[in-house]
C-alpha cells in the first residue's frame, strides 16, 4: 500500500526497456503508489499499448533492442504532443540530450552517481510531468469550451478588458449592426452603437460593466432603437473573469435575443386579459387542480353556479368536497386525454342542488394537471326529469329495502314530481307512539327549521293527518289552527298520511300553488310510497330471520327450502277452489323434492276425542293406520298434543323419549326423527291440525317453527275463505237459536241495567271509529237507556234515532268488534238478538257448507253460559241471492245512511223523522242525505227488477 497520496495513484504508466533502473522504478511505483504499471521491452510493443490503451506517462530507456528511445519518442509525437514522455539513460551525453530535446521529449534524466538516486529523482520528475500534462489538458479543455460558447450562434458575446473596453466580439454580435466591428474595438462597451442611442440604456449598460469590474455579476434587458431595422430586445448578462490570484483579467458580456419571448409575453398578457373578460362573463365554471385535487386555478365566475367566491371555493378543500368523489375514471382519462359530458350534482353555498355537465381534460398549466369545466344544466334536467321521475320513483321503491330508503327516495324525487323543493317524511314509531322525522330536504329545514318529534295526539298538522287518516292541503299553512311553528316561512303545504307508516309533507314558500294535477300527483306519490312501505314491513321479518340464520349454513338451507315451499303453498292456496284441494296440495308441496318425509292434515272428532286424518302425502308406510291420535296433552303423537293444547308442538328428537311414548317407536321405524305439529286456526276458528315429519333431528328450529306456524294461519285463513265463499253460494241453511247469560255481552248488560228489552235485528256497521249497532228499545224510555249506555266503557257514542213513548231506536258505537262481525268472518249470519233483564236469545243462520258444531263452539267460547234452544233448516234461495247482490252494490256510507233512515222512521207514513233530522244525526248536509237515499233506492230496484229479470203480472200483481 502507498505511504502517502500522490497524483500517480490514479495514473497509467508505461515502462519500456530492460535496464536495472527500469526494474527498480517499477518496484518503487508499486510500493509507493496505486498507479497502474505496464512494462514492455521493444518499440513495437510500446506503440501497440499506446495505440490501444489510454496511458498518462511513458518512461523509456535510451537503448532499446534494435532501436533507441528517441525513435520511439518520434513515433509517439507523430500522434500526440500531449502525452508526457521521459527518456532515461545510465550513460548520458550532451548529444543524446540534444537529440531528445529535438524530438520534443518531456524530460530527460541521466544517472550521475547511483541507480537509487536516479530512481528517486525519476519518481519526482514523473509526478511533475503527469501534473503538468493534466494541467495543460484542463487548460485546453477550458479553451475549447470557451471557443464553443464564444461561437454559439444563439448568443452574442463580447470580451472586454479590465477598463471595460471592447477587445473581442463573436459573429452573432457582429450581425447585430451594420458597422465594421474592427473600428469600434477599444471603445468603452457602453458607448457602442448597440445601445448608446438612448441615455437611459447607456447608463444601465455602463452600470453593470462597472459592477463587473468590482467582481459582481450583472444583468439588464435593453431594447435597440426603433429606427434600427429589425429592432430587437437583448438580455445582457455580465460576469468578471479572474485569474488564480483573484485578480480581474477580463469581462465577458453575453447577450440573448429575447424579442420573440417579449412579443410572446405581450401576446400572452393580451390573451390572458381576453380570457379573464370571457371567464368573468360566461356562466360555465372552469377549475384547474393538481393530481390530488388541490386547486391551482379557480375562475372568477365560480359564484354563478356555486354561490361561493374563488377564495371560499379554495377553503372548502379538495375538489372532491365540491363535486364529490369518483367523478371520473383516471385510467380512462389517461387513455383518452379528455372526458366529456360527465353528469353530476353539486350543492351551492345556499344549499341548493345543481345538476352539472362536467368535462375533464389533462393539461399542464403552472402546477395544474386537470382542467375541469362545469356547466349548470339544472333547469334543463328538471324539465326532462319531470316527465319520467314519477315512473322512476315507483321503480326505485321496488329495490328499496328499508323504510328509511323509501323516505329518502320520496324526498329525492319530490322536486321532480311536484316541483317542490321543500319536503319531509315522518315515520311512525309504534313503540314510542311518536312520529319521527326520517328524511327531509335542505329547503324544508331552511323554511321550517329543525323538524321535531311529534306525539300522535292530533294537536299538530302531521299528527292530525296521521291519526285521522286525512290528507290536508293548504294554500297558506299559516291559516291552519294546528300549525306548530308560526315562524315558519313555509306557505303552500300538503300533509298526506302514509297508511300506518307515517306522513308525507311537501310545500313551498309561495302561496296558492296547488292545482288539481299537483294534488293528484301528491296523492299518487304518497300512495306509491305507502305500498312500498307495506311491502318492506312484510319483508322485514323474513329478512331479519335470514340475517339471524346466516351463521348456520344447514339451518339457512332448511329455511330457504321452507320459504320456497310456503311460497308455492301460498300460490296454490290462492288458486284452490275446495277444502280438499287445499288439504292435498299443502301435504304434497310439503313433501315434494324430499323437503319433508311425511305430512298430513287431520280433523278433531269431538265424539271420539281423536284426530282423524283427512289428507296426507309423503312416506306413510302405514303410520296413520298404526296410530290412534288421541287428543291429549302427552303420551300421544304431536298431532294429538296440538289438538289438545291448541298450540304448536315441536319434537326435535323423536328418539329422546323412545321408552316413554309408544308412538315414537313407530315413527323411528319410518325415519321420522323430528316432528312439528301446527294448529290450523284462523280468528279462533279451528280447521284441524297439520303435522310434518322430517328425516333428521333438529330439522325445526324456532324460526322454522314460527314460519310454519304462520303457514298454519295462512292455510286456516284460506280454508275460512273457502267456507265463506261456499256460504255465499248456499241457499239452504240452518237457523240456530241460543239462550245466553253473560253480562259481558253489551246488549245483556244494558238491558239489565235499564230493565228494558233491547232487540238487534240487523244493521252492524264497521268503520275506522268502531262498530255501529242499531238496537230497538222496548218498555223503557229511549232517553234513559241512552243515558245509561253513555256510562258504559264498551260504548263510545249513543245517538237516539227515533222515540215513541216507551220505545225507540238507538245507534250505539261500540269500542270492541261486535259478535256479528266475527260470525260473518266464519260464513254465518247474526240474524237476531233479544236481550231482556234476565236472559238473552241469539238467532244465527248457518249455511249448510259450514259445520254447525264450529259455530256452536264459537258461541260457547264467546260467552260463559250458553244453551242451545232450537235448530231448523231454511231455504232462502231467492231472498238470499237478492240480499247478497243488493249489499254488494252498497258502500259502507250508503248502508249506514239508509239504516239510520229506516230506524228513524223516515219511511213511515207519516214520517217520524225528516231528512234534515237524519242528516243532523249523521253529521252530513240534507242534500247529501237525500242523494244517498235515492242512490240506495235505485240500487235496490235495479237488483229487484232488472238484474234478476223479475216482472209483475198485471192481473195478479205478484212477482214471477
Amino acid at each position: 500500500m502507498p505511504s502517502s497520496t500522490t497524483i500517480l495513484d490514479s495514473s497509467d504508466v508505461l515502462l519500456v526497456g530492460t535496464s536495472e533502473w527500469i526494474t527498480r522504478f517499477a518496484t518503487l511505483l508499486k510500493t509507493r503508489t496505486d498507479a497502474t504499471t505496464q512494462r514492455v521491452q521493444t518499440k513495437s510493443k510500446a506503440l501497440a499499448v499506446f495505440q490501444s490503451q489510454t496511458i498518462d506517462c511513458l518512461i523509456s530507456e535510451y537503448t532499446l533492442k534494435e532501436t533507441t528511445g528517441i525513435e520511439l519518442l518520434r513515433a509517439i509525437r507523430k500522434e500526440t504532443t500531449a502525452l508526457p514522455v521521459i527518456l532515461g539513460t545510465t550513460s548520458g551525453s550532451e548529444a543524446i540530450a540534444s537529440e531528445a530535446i529535438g524530438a520534443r521529449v518531456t524530460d530527460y534524466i541521466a544517472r550521475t552517481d547511483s541507480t537509487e538516486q536516479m530512481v528517486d529523482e525519476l519518481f519526482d520528475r514523473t509526478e511533475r510531468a503527469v501534473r503538468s500534462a493534466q494541467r495543460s489538458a484542463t487548460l485546453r479543455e477550458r479553451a475549447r469550451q470557451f471557443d464553443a460558447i464564444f461561437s454559439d450562434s444563439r448568443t452574442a458575446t463580447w470580451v472586454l478588458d479590465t477598463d471595460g473596453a471592447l477587445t473581442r466580439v463573436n459573429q452573432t454580435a457582429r450581425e447585430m449592426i451594420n458597422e465594421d466591428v474592427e473600428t469600434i474595438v477599444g471603445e468603452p462597451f457602453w458607448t457602442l452603437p448597440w445601445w448608446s442611442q438612448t441615455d437611459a440604456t447607456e447608463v444601465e449598460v455602463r452600470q453593470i460593466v462597472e459592477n463587473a469590474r468590482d467582481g459582481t455579476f450583472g444583468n439588464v434587458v435593453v431594447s435597440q432603437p426603433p429606427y434600427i431595422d429589425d429592432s430587437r430586445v437583448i438580455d445582457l448578462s455580465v460576469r468578471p473573469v479572474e485569474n488564480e490570484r483573484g485578480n480581474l483579467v477580463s469581462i465577458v458580456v453575453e447577450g440573448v435575443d429575447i424579442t420573440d419571448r417579449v412579443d410572446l409575453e405581450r401576446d400572452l398578457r393580451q390573451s390572458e386579459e381576453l380570457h379573464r373578460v370571457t371567464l368573468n362573463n360566461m356562466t360555465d365554471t372552469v377549475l384547474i387542480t393538481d393530481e390530488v385535487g388541490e386547486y391551482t386555478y379557480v375562475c372568477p365566475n365560480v359564484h354563478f353556479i356555486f354561490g361561493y367566491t374563488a377564495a371560499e371555493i379554495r377553503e372548502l378543500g379538495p375538489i372532491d368536497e365540491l363535486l364529490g368523489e369518483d367523478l371520473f375514471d383516471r385510467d380512462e382519462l389517461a387513455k383518452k386525454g379528455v372526458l366529456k359530458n360527465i353528469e353530476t350534482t353539486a350543492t351551492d353555498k345556499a344549499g341548493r342542488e345543481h345538476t352539472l355537465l362536467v368535462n375533464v381534460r389533462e393539461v399542464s398549466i403552472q402546477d395544474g394537471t386537470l382542467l375541469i369545466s362545469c356547466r349548470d344544466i339544472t333547469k334543463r334536467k328538471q324539465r326532462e326529469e319531470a316527465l319520467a321521475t314519477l315512473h322512476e320513483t315507483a321503480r326505485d321503491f321496488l329495490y328499496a329495502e328499508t323504510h328509511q330508503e323509501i323516505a329518502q327516495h320520496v324526498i329525492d324525487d319530490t322536486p321532480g314530481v311536484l316541483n317542490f323543493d321543500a319536503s319531509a317524511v315522518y315515520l311512525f314509531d309504534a313503540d314510542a307512539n311518536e312520529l319521527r322525522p326520517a328524511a327531509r330536504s335542505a329547503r324544508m329545514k331552511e323554511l321550517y327549521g329543525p323538524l321535531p318529534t311529534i306525539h300522535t295526539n292530533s294537536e299538530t298538522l302531521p299528527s292530525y293527518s296521521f291519526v285521522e287518516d286525512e290528507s290536508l292541503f293548504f294554500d297558506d299553512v299559516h291559516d291552519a289552527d294546528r300549525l306548530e311553528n308560526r315562524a315558519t316561512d313555509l306557505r303552500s303545504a300538503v300533509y298526506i298520511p302514509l297508511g300506518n307508516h307515517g306522513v308525507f309533507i311537501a310545500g313551498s314558500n309561495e302561496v296558492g300553488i296547488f292545482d288539481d294535477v299537483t294534488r293528484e300527483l301528491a296523492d299518487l306519490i304518497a300512495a306509491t310510497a305507502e305500498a312500498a312501505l307495506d311491502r318492506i314491513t312484510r319483508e322485514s321479518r323474513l329478512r331479519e330471520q335470514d340475517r339471524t340464520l346466516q351463521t348456520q349454513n344447514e339451518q339457512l338451507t332448511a329455511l330457504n327450502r321452507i320459504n320456497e315451499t310456503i311460497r308455492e303453498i301460498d300460490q296454490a292456496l290462492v288458486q284452490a277452489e275446495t277444502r280438499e284441494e287445499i288439504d292435498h296440495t299443502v301435504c304434497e308441496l310439503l313433501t315434494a323434492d324430499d323437503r319433508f318425509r311425511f305430512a298430513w292434515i287431520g280433523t278433531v272428532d269431538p265424539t271420539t276425542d281423536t284426530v282423524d286424518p283427512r289428507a296426507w302425502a309423503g312416506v306413510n308406510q302405514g303410520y296413520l293406520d298404526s296410530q290412534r291420535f288421541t287428543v291429549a296433552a302427552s303420551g300421544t303423537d304431536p298431532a294429538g298434543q296440538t289438538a289438545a293444547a291448541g298450540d304448536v308442538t315441536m319434537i326435535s328428537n323423536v328418539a329422546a323419549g323412545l321408552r316413554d311414548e309408544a308412538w315414537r317407536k313407530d315413527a323411528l321405524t319410518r325415519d321420522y326423527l323430528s316432528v312439528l305439529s301446527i294448529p290450523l286456526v284462523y280468528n279462533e276458528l279451528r280447521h284441524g291440525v297439520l303435522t310434518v315429519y322430517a328425516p333428521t333431528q333438529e330439522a325445526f328450529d324456532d324460526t322454522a317453527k314460527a314460519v310454519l306456524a304462520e303457514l298454519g294461519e295462512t292455510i286456516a285463513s284460506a280454508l275460512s275463505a273457502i267456507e265463506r265463499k261456499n256460504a255465499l253460494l248456499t241457499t239452504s241453511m240452518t237457523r240456530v237459536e241460543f239462550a245466553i247469560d253473560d253480562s259481558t255481552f253489551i246488549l245483556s248488560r244494558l238491558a239489565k241495567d235499564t230493565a228494558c228489552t233491547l232487540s238487534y235485528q240487523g244493521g252492524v256497521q264497521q268503520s275506522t271509529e268502531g262498530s255501529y249497532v242499531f238496537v230497538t228499545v222496548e218498555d223503557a224510555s229511549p232517553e234513559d237507556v241512552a243515558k245509561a249506555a253513555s256510562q258504559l266503557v264498551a260504548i263510545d257514542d249513543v245517538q237516539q234515532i227515533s222515540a215513541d213513548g216507551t220505545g225507540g231506536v238507538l245507534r250505539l258505537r261500540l269500542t270492541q268488534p261486535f259478535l256479528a262481525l266475527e260470525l260473518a268472518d266464519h260464513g254465518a249470519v247474526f240474524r237476531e238478538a233479544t236481550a231482556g233483564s234476565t236472559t238473552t236469545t241469539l238467532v244465527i243462520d248457518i249455511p249448510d257448507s259450514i259445520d254447525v258444531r264450529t259455530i256452536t263452539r264459537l258461541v260457547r267460547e264467546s260467552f260463559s253460559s250458553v244453551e242451545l234452544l232450537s235448530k231448523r233448516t231454511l231455504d232462502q234461495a231467492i231472498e238470499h241471492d237478492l240480499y247478497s247482490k243488493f249489499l254488494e252494490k252498497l258502500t259502507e256510507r250508503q248502508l249506514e245512511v239508509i239504516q239510520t233512515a229506516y230506524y228513524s222512521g223516515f219511511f213511515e207514513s207519516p214520517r217520524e223523522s225528516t231528512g234534515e233530522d237524519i242528516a243532523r244525526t249523521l253529521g252530513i248536509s240534507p242534500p247529501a242525505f237525500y242523494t244517498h237515499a235515492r242512490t240506495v233506492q235505485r240500487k235496490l230496484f235495479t237488483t229487484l227488477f232488472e238484474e234478476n229479470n223479475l216482472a209483475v203480472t198485471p192481473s195478479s200483481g205478484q212477482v214471477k
Side-chain angles (χ1 to χ4, degrees):
M1 295 294 293
S3 58
S4 61
T5 303
T6 173
I7 195 170
L8 297 179
D9 288 341
S10 59
S11 301
D12 291 317
V13 180
L14 176 62
L15 302 177
V16 185
T18 59
S19 299
E20 179 186 359
W21 67 270
I22 288 288
T23 301
R24 296 184 66 177
F25 186 66
T27 302
L28 180 63
L29 288 176
K30 184 175 181 180
T31 57
R32 294 178 59 181
T33 71
D34 287 333
T36 301
T37 304
Q38 298 185 70
R39 186 175 179 182
V40 297
Q41 296 181 357
T42 64
K43 171 187 174 185
S44 60
K45 291 183 179 181
L47 290 175
V49 173
F50 166 74
Q51 292 172 352
S52 63
Q53 302 178 26
T54 299
I55 58 176
D56 297 309
C57 185
L58 185 147
I59 301 172
S60 174
E61 63 177 323
Y62 176 75
T63 303
L64 298 175
K65 186 184 294 186
E66 298 179 355
T67 186
T68 65
I70 298 297
E71 294 302 322
L72 174 61
L73 174 62
R74 289 192 179 103
I76 289 175
R77 286 295 181 248
K78 290 180 181 179
E79 300 291 336
T80 178
T81 60
L83 176 66
V85 179
I86 301 175
L87 186 65
T89 180
T90 56
S91 56
S93 66
E94 290 184 3
I96 294 175
S98 176
E99 186 179 10
I101 293 171
R104 291 179 290 178
V105 72
T106 303
D107 203 351
Y108 170 78
I109 185 170
R111 191 182 72 177
T112 55
D113 295 324
S114 64
T115 301
E116 188 71 27
Q117 184 178 1
M118 177 183 177
V119 170
D120 289 340
E121 185 177 356
L122 178 61
F123 184 87
D124 294 337
R125 291 190 181 189
T126 301
E127 278 189 323
R128 287 197 297 272
V130 172
R131 185 178 294 107
S132 177
Q134 290 183 353
R135 185 182 300 113
S136 297
T138 300
L139 292 176
R140 288 193 299 272
E141 180 64 24
R142 290 178 179 176
R144 284 194 296 270
Q145 292 174 355
F146 179 79
D147 287 343
I149 296 173
F150 191 78
S151 301
D152 187 359
S153 60
R154 297 170 298 179
T155 305
T157 305
W158 298 268
V159 181
L160 315 181
D161 61 17
T162 57
D163 294 326
L166 182 65
T167 61
R168 187 179 176 190
V169 62
N170 72 350
Q171 184 62 33
T172 304
R174 291 173 181 270
E175 295 172 354
M176 287 188 175
I177 60 173
N178 296 325
E179 297 185 27
D180 185 3
V181 174
E182 303 303 331
T183 62
I184 58 177
V185 171
E187 297 296 326
F189 184 68
W190 54 87
T191 63
L192 300 182
W194 283 287
W195 26 78
S196 62
Q197 304 301 324
T198 62
D199 294 339
T201 301
E202 182 176 340
V203 170
E204 288 180 334
V205 174
R206 180 170 184 172
Q207 183 62 52
I208 62 172
V209 173
E210 293 294 340
N211 292 342
R213 294 180 64 190
D214 293 336
T216 304
F217 288 82
N219 177 269
V220 67
V221 176
V222 298
S223 299
Q224 292 179 305
Y227 53 79
I228 296 180
D229 293 341
D230 194 20
S231 177
R232 315 297 289 172
V233 179
I234 310 298
D235 184 0
L236 293 179
S237 54
V238 182
R239 65 177 183 273
V241 180
E242 299 175 345
N243 59 16
E244 293 83 353
R245 299 183 182 88
N247 297 325
L248 183 68
V249 296
S250 64
I251 299 173
V252 176
V253 183
E254 293 182 337
V256 178
D257 187 345
I258 61 170
T259 305
D260 292 341
R261 190 179 76 187
V262 172
D263 293 342
L264 182 61
E265 290 177 350
R266 182 185 63 252
D267 294 342
L268 181 60
R269 285 193 298 272
Q270 294 175 350
S271 176
E272 287 178 346
E273 181 62 27
L274 176 61
H275 282 80
R276 186 177 297 107
V277 172
T278 302
L279 289 174
N280 282 336
N281 290 276
M282 72 178 187
T283 57
D284 287 6
T285 293
V286 177
L287 308 167
I288 301 177
T289 72
D290 58 18
E291 285 297 329
V292 297
E294 298 292 341
Y295 297 102
T296 61
Y297 173 78
V298 178
C299 69
N301 71 337
V302 68
H303 62 280
F304 282 158
I305 296 178
F306 299 102
Y308 295 102
T309 64
E312 289 172 333
I313 286 289
R314 294 178 183 273
E315 291 175 359
L316 289 177
I319 196 170
D320 288 350
E321 299 294 331
L322 185 68
L323 300 181
E325 298 179 356
D326 301 326
L327 178 64
F328 61 93
D329 188 327
R330 191 64 182 86
D331 294 337
E332 184 181 2
L333 177 62
K335 180 179 179 182
K336 296 182 178 179
V338 60
L339 299 177
K340 295 183 178 180
N341 299 330
I342 303 171
E343 189 172 307
T344 187
T345 58
T347 304
D348 65 13
K349 184 177 181 180
R352 295 182 296 268
E353 189 174 81
H354 295 256
T355 301
L356 306 179
L357 210 57
V358 179
N359 293 339
V360 183
R361 183 183 301 274
E362 286 186 327
V363 296
S364 180
I365 302 175
Q366 297 177 348
D367 296 328
T369 58
L370 298 175
L371 185 146
I372 299 99
S373 62
C374 306
R375 173 167 295 178
D376 191 344
I377 60 169
T378 304
K379 292 184 179 179
R380 186 184 78 188
K381 194 67 176 178
Q382 288 174 346
R383 288 193 296 269
E384 294 173 354
E385 292 180 349
L387 302 176
T389 302
L390 188 56
H391 176 69
E392 292 298 327
T393 299
R395 181 181 300 174
D396 291 340
F397 287 168
L398 293 177
Y399 301 103
E401 296 183 355
T402 65
H403 293 78
Q404 181 66 42
E405 287 184 64
I406 294 294
Q408 192 58 53
H409 278 310
V410 172
I411 298 306
D412 294 341
D413 294 343
T414 294
V417 177
L418 302 179
N419 201 27
F420 293 164
D421 52 5
S423 58
V425 171
Y426 276 90
L427 292 180
F428 179 56
D429 184 343
D431 295 333
N433 195 27
E434 292 176 337
L435 289 169
R436 299 182 182 274
R440 59 110 178 96
S441 65
R443 183 62 170 166
M444 176 61 78
K445 181 178 181 181
E446 178 182 340
L447 295 178
Y448 195 87
L451 297 178
T453 298
I454 298 174
H455 188 65
T456 53
N457 53 12
S458 297
E459 293 182 0
T460 62
L461 291 173
S463 176
Y464 181 83
S465 175
F466 176 74
V467 173
E468 300 297 332
D469 193 24
E470 181 179 345
S471 298
L472 306 175
F473 289 86
F474 298 98
D475 287 332
D476 189 347
V477 75
H478 283 255
D479 297 335
D481 296 335
R482 293 181 174 85
L483 180 62
E484 186 177 34
N485 180 12
R486 288 290 171 181
T488 179
D489 292 329
L490 196 66
R491 290 296 179 175
S492 295
V494 56
Y495 298 77
I496 303 178
L498 302 176
N500 297 326
H501 306 289
V503 178
F504 166 59
I505 306 172
S508 170
N509 60 344
E510 300 179 26
V511 176
I513 62 175
F514 288 113
D515 54 23
D516 293 340
V517 175
T518 304
R519 290 171 182 262
E520 182 179 354
L521 290 174
D523 286 333
L524 185 56
I525 191 173
T528 307
E530 180 182 348
L533 291 168
D534 286 340
R535 175 184 61 81
I536 289 175
T537 298
R538 291 191 302 268
E539 295 175 352
S540 61
R541 195 173 304 160
L542 292 176
R543 285 200 303 270
E544 183 64 27
Q545 292 170 353
D546 289 342
R547 286 192 294 268
T548 303
L549 296 174
Q550 283 176 356
T551 58
Q552 301 180 13
N553 190 38
E554 292 182 359
Q555 292 179 347
L556 177 61
T557 302
L559 180 59
N560 287 339
R561 296 182 66 189
I562 292 174
N563 286 337
E564 180 181 353
T565 303
I566 290 175
R567 285 193 295 271
E568 294 177 2
I569 291 174
D570 286 342
Q571 294 174 359
L573 293 179
V574 172
Q575 300 172 2
E577 296 289 341
T578 66
R579 174 173 180 163
E580 290 74 15
E581 185 179 353
I582 290 176
D583 290 344
H584 288 288
T585 300
V586 169
C587 293
E588 289 173 358
L589 289 176
L590 285 172
T591 56
D593 299 326
D594 296 327
R595 291 167 177 166
F596 297 105
R597 189 164 180 80
F598 182 53
W600 66 283
I601 295 176
T603 304
V604 177
D605 186 346
T607 60
T608 61
D609 214 20
T610 59
V611 181
D612 296 335
R614 68 173 189 253
W616 55 88
V619 181
N620 181 7
Q621 295 180 346
Y623 180 74
L624 296 180
D625 296 329
S626 68
Q627 298 294 315
R628 177 179 173 83
F629 301 96
T630 305
V631 178
S634 62
T636 185
D637 181 272
Q641 299 178 40
T642 296
D647 201 357
V648 177
T649 302
M650 184 169 68
I651 306 298
S652 299
N653 184 3
V654 172
L658 184 60
R659 301 291 180 263
D660 300 328
E661 299 174 342
W663 71 269
R664 293 177 184 260
K665 178 180 178 180
D666 291 333
L668 284 177
T669 59
R670 294 166 175 81
D671 291 330
Y672 301 162
L673 302 185
S674 55
V675 188
L676 187 70
S677 186
I678 308 158
L680 304 181
V681 179
Y682 175 72
N683 242 353
E684 299 184 0
L685 181 62
R686 300 185 181 184
H687 291 274
V689 177
L690 167 64
T691 308
V692 182
Y693 303 82
T696 59
Q697 296 180 2
E698 307 291 342
F700 306 100
D701 57 10
D702 290 339
T703 303
K705 175 182 176 182
V707 172
L708 290 172
E710 291 181 4
L711 174 62
E713 294 181 6
T714 304
I715 297 171
S717 175
L719 292 171
S720 293
I722 292 293
E723 291 181 351
R724 289 194 300 271
K725 177 181 177 182
N726 292 336
L728 292 175
L729 299 175
T730 301
T731 59
S732 178
M733 61 183 61
T734 301
R735 176 163 293 177
V736 183
E737 184 175 357
F738 297 96
I740 67 170
D741 184 7
D742 192 333
S743 59
T744 60
F745 185 48
I746 188 60
L747 298 186
S748 299
R749 173 70 180 276
L750 186 57
K752 184 177 180 180
D753 290 346
T754 58
C756 71
T757 300
L758 298 178
S759 298
Y760 164 79
Q761 296 180 344
V764 61
Q765 174 73 16
Q766 176 70 31
S767 70
T768 57
E769 298 175 343
S771 300
Y772 288 92
V773 176
F774 293 91
V775 296
T776 301
V777 179
E778 298 179 6
D779 304 326
S781 168
E783 291 83 358
D784 295 339
V785 177
K787 184 177 180 181
S790 64
Q791 304 300 316
L792 298 179
V793 176
I795 298 177
D796 251 357
D797 182 62
V798 182
Q799 286 193 354
Q800 182 175 314
I801 303 301
S802 65
D804 57 356
T806 59
V809 177
L810 300 178
R811 187 180 72 166
L812 309 179
R813 188 172 73 194
L814 309 180
T815 58
Q816 299 296 327
F818 194 57
L819 177 62
L821 296 175
E822 190 171 358
L823 290 171
D825 203 28
H826 292 81
V829 178
F830 188 58
R831 180 66 63 186
E832 184 178 327
T834 303
S837 58
T838 58
T839 185
T840 299
T841 59
L842 307 178
V843 178
I844 301 172
D845 288 346
I846 306 172
D848 283 354
S849 60
I850 306 298
D851 190 345
V852 174
R853 292 177 299 179
T854 300
I855 302 303
T856 300
R857 185 170 60 251
L858 177 62
V859 174
R860 294 187 184 279
E861 291 174 353
S862 300
F863 304 106
S864 58
S865 177
V866 178
E867 179 185 357
L868 178 61
L869 298 180
S870 66
K871 284 197 307 183
R872 58 194 178 97
T873 301
L874 303 176
D875 189 355
Q876 298 177 334
I878 297 178
E879 175 188 353
H880 182 271
D881 186 52
L882 291 176
Y883 181 70
S884 299
K885 289 185 177 182
F886 174 61
L887 289 183
E888 288 176 359
K889 298 178 183 298
L890 299 187
T891 65
E892 292 182 355
R893 187 58 167 171
Q894 291 168 352
L895 181 58
E896 179 185 5
V897 169
I898 207 65
Q899 285 177 332
T900 305
Y902 176 78
Y903 291 114
S904 298
F906 177 76
F907 298 105
E908 298 294 333
S909 181
R911 286 177 176 169
E912 297 176 1
S913 298
T914 65
E916 288 74 11
D917 296 335
I918 300 171
R920 191 162 43 252
T921 299
L922 293 170
I924 61 177
S925 65
F929 164 73
Y930 288 115
T931 299
H932 283 305
R934 285 193 296 271
T935 300
V936 173
Q937 290 172 347
R938 184 179 66 254
K939 290 181 177 181
L940 174 61
F941 295 142
T942 299
T943 303
L944 183 61
F945 296 118
E946 295 183 7
E947 296 190 6
N948 290 278
N949 297 318
L950 297 179
V952 177
T953 301
S955 61
S956 65
Q958 296 200 352
V959 176
K960 65 175 182 179

